[in-house]
Amino acid sequence: MVASRSARERKAAAQGGPLARVKIDLDAEQQFVYKISCSSCRAKGHRAWSTYRPGEDNGFMAAMDRWTFHLVEKHPDSEAPCLAFLAEAQQRLHERREGAVPEAGS
């Protein structure tokens, strides 16, 4: 059975910890787009810092990875279940960065 959008939001919010505010929207292709915002940080004026990025990379893992990095950088004393996966998030980031760098001689 497929989890509902609200069930997915609750699970992501639980993984994100007490500072996370999670909202899931649908994109043009009816795919879930995760937006995790910080209840204490501001990005631009009145807007809360959030993981949402325009484009295709807004699935659960990408959003949770960005959220994990935000917690480590801005809230190092915070506790959240997602922090248990920090090493895996760092590995995925490393792999994405290596894949984005053109090879020498290409």
Side-chain angles (χ1 to χ4, degrees), residues 1-8 32 34:
M1 177 179 228
V2 177
S4 68
R5 186 179 352 181
S6 60
R8 290 171 189 252
F32 288 134
Y34 285 77

Side-chain angles (χ1 to χ4, degrees), residues 1 5 8 12 15 21 24 28 30 36-37 39 48 50-51 60-61 66 70 72 80 85 91 94 96 100 104:
M1 177 179 228
R5 186 179 352 181
R8 290 171 189 252
Q15 285 286 316
R21 300 294 177 260
I24 300 175
Q30 300 301 303
I36 306 173
S37 59
S39 64
S50 70
T51 62
F60 176 78
M61 293 302 293
R66 287 190 295 263
H70 174 76
V72 168
F85 305 105
Q91 180 63 33
H94 178 71
R96 277 193 306 272

Side-chain angles (χ1 to χ4, degrees), residues 35-101:
K35 181 177 181 179
I36 306 173
S37 59
C38 184
S39 64
S40 68
C41 292
R42 298 287 169 240
K44 293 181 180 178
H46 67 284
R47 291 187 182 173
W49 178 95
S50 70
T51 62
Y52 179 79
R53 301 290 182 269
E56 300 176 9
D57 194 22
N58 289 299
F60 176 78
M61 293 302 293
M64 194 57 70
D65 285 356
R66 287 190 295 263
W67 175 249
T68 301
F69 297 143
H70 174 76
L71 286 177
V72 168
E73 182 179 330
K74 300 293 183 179
H75 308 284
D77 296 330
S78 66
E79 304 240 347
C82 64
L83 294 173
F85 305 105
L86 177 60
E88 291 90 342
Q90 291 170 328
Q91 180 63 33
R92 284 188 289 274
L93 177 62
H94 178 71
E95 289 169 2
R96 277 193 306 272
R97 286 181 174 169
E98 279 190 340
V101 176

